[in-house]
Amino acid sequence: MASHRRPKQPTRARVTTLTALAAAAVALASQNAQAAPAKPSKDEVKSKVDGLYDQAEKATEKFNGAREQQRKLEKEIGQLQDKVARGQAELNEMRDQMGSMASAQYRNGGVDSSIQLLLSDNPDEYLAKASVLDQLSAKQVESVHKIQEKQRALAQERQEAAGKLKDLADTRKELGEKKAEIQAKLAEAQKLLNSLTAEERQRLNDDDNTRASRGGGGGGRGGSLDPNVKGSGHAGEALAYAKTKLGSAYISGYEGPNAFDCSGLTQWAYKQAGVGISRTTYTQVNDGTRIGRSQLQPGDLVFFYSDLHHVGLYAGNNTVLHASNPRGGVKYENMDYMPFQFGVRVA
């Protein structure tokens, strides 16, 4: 007769081990799920990259402003230092003259004047010399006053130079901080772009290339690119020069001739046309007369975003020619893709 064995019951230790293994498997699966989040879509990457470029451009314009302030301070400090050096040389010369007068007075004034008069063979000649001595004393007093005034002026100039040197140090610190901020934003944007496949990046570029010729955005004004649009006067000349830089790279802080940021391009273009405008978007808004959208003519400056951190040149037909961002460089773009604020007609 066959015997039947009862199945062996798992021991408590075995149950504990199996439970621990199961928990570990669940934890590992959870960690893997957290370590491999869903890959962002092309549109999500574009949105994030555009946001990072926008933040980098805001920092760029502040960087440009700080650099302009640095240049101004360096020039003023140089002029002050030259002025102090000239003043010190003048002061040294005045002191030398003062010493010469004091020596002459000592040599000639050691004997009481009444005794000198009695011993003099020619009283008239002595009286003439005494008059000279009196005049010398008056000059000496005048020289003392001049030296004191020069010393006060030099002390004030040195204090002014010291203040500007402190401002320069603060400005250089700000420059370093803004540069680091820009580089961090751009590096993050590039990392996102690198996460796309070659096909996705190509589709992204194709989408960008349609912006100059398609309508869209909130305004719905449409717009079509006409590269033959010409302006008049200096604005027209500035636009013509800017067209020669189509395809150039966008690099933060650059102002030509081969790479630009947005305000660097507009400044460069107007400079070629013989008109000097300031360096940043925040100051270029005051380089002419503000005008509305319906008044725009080719070559006018056009500003975007509520804080006015982006600028380009109006190219006609609701199109802007601008240094767009590190991915797009200098190109045409439909104005409806950015929040337009106003235009500026440079005098």
Side-chain angles (χ1 to χ4, degrees):
M1 184 175 181
S3 64
H4 298 281
R5 294 184 179 179
R6 297 178 59 187
K8 188 177 181 181
Q9 297 296 321
T11 64
R12 180 178 296 178
R14 181 178 174 81
V15 170
T16 302
T17 302
L18 291 173
T19 302
L21 288 173
V26 171
L28 183 60
S30 176
Q31 288 176 1
N32 289 337
Q34 292 176 0
K39 180 183 174 182
S41 68
K42 173 181 70 70
D43 292 338
E44 288 173 335
V45 167
K46 181 185 180 306
S47 177
K48 290 179 180 179
V49 167
D50 287 346
L52 288 165
Y53 281 160
D54 195 48
Q55 294 171 33
E57 190 165 54
K58 290 178 184 179
T60 293
E61 288 306 307
K62 291 178 181 178
F63 172 89
N64 291 337
R67 190 166 60 180
E68 286 298 293
Q69 178 67 5
Q70 178 188 27
R71 291 170 178 170
K72 179 183 176 183
L73 285 169
E74 287 174 343
K75 182 178 179 180
E76 291 176 350
I77 288 169
Q79 292 172 342
L80 269 174
Q81 289 174 335
D82 288 344
K83 189 176 180 181
V84 167
R86 288 194 302 270
Q88 186 64 54
E90 292 172 4
L91 179 60
N92 293 339
E93 184 178 354
M94 292 167 68
R95 283 173 172 165
D96 290 342
Q97 292 174 354
M98 178 76 174
S100 298
M101 284 189 285
S103 297
Q105 187 181 41
Y106 176 79
R107 289 194 302 271
N108 297 317
V111 182
D112 182 79
S113 59
S114 59
I115 297 175
Q116 286 187 22
L117 178 60
L118 290 172
L119 297 176
S120 174
D121 294 333
N122 189 337
D124 291 336
E125 182 180 349
Y126 169 77
L127 291 173
K129 288 181 179 179
S131 175
V132 170
L133 287 173
D134 288 340
Q135 292 176 10
L136 183 64
S137 178
K139 286 181 180 179
Q140 190 175 13
V141 172
E142 182 183 358
S143 295
V144 170
H145 290 317
K146 286 183 177 179
I147 287 173
Q148 290 173 335
E149 290 174 3
K150 177 61 70 175
Q151 286 174 328
R152 284 193 293 268
L154 278 174
Q156 184 175 354
E157 288 164 0
R158 285 193 175 103
Q159 185 176 5
E160 185 179 354
K164 289 187 180 296
L165 283 168
K166 182 181 182 303
D167 291 341
L168 180 58
D170 293 341
T171 299
R172 284 174 173 164
K173 180 181 177 183
E174 182 184 358
L175 275 172
E177 291 171 350
K178 290 302 175 188
K179 185 175 183 179
E181 181 182 351
I182 293 165
Q183 290 174 336
K185 299 295 182 185
L186 295 180
E188 188 177 351
Q190 189 59 50
K191 184 178 179 181
L192 283 167
L193 289 172
N194 291 342
S195 71
L196 297 177
T197 65
E199 183 181 353
E200 287 172 328
R201 284 197 295 271
Q202 184 58 52
R203 288 207 307 269
L204 199 60
N205 292 335
D206 292 342
D207 292 344
D208 287 344
N209 291 335
T210 64
R211 286 191 175 191
S213 57
R214 281 189 185 177
R221 296 171 183 269
S224 59
L225 171 61
D226 181 358
N228 296 316
V229 166
K230 295 180 180 179
S232 60
H234 293 305
E237 291 178 37
L239 177 61
Y241 279 111
K243 287 179 180 180
T244 67
K245 296 301 176 181
L246 281 165
S248 295
Y250 177 107
I251 302 179
S252 295
Y254 276 53
E255 48 199 37
N258 299 315
F260 306 85
D261 58 28
C262 68
S263 56
L265 175 65
T266 52
Q267 184 191 50
W268 179 88
Y270 267 94
K271 183 179 180 181
Q272 307 316 302
V275 179
I277 62 175
S278 54
R279 178 60 180 91
T280 74
T281 60
Y282 306 121
T283 53
Q284 288 181 7
V285 295
N286 299 316
D287 285 339
T289 304
R290 296 190 184 190
I291 54 177
R293 193 163 190 161
S294 63
Q295 299 171 284
L296 291 175
Q297 296 178 5
D300 287 336
L301 299 177
V302 282
F303 293 86
F304 301 89
Y305 301 96
S306 60
D307 63 352
L308 308 174
H309 70 264
H310 191 73
V311 65
L313 294 165
Y314 185 61
N317 299 319
N318 198 44
T319 302
V320 59
L321 174 55
H322 65 148
S324 59
N325 55 50
R327 190 160 52 84
V330 178
K331 65 175 185 176
Y332 291 107
E333 193 154 31
N334 187 281
M335 284 176 55
D336 290 333
Y337 283 95
M338 295 178 290
F340 173 78
Q341 301 300 308
F342 53 80
V344 165
R345 181 156 298 148
V346 179

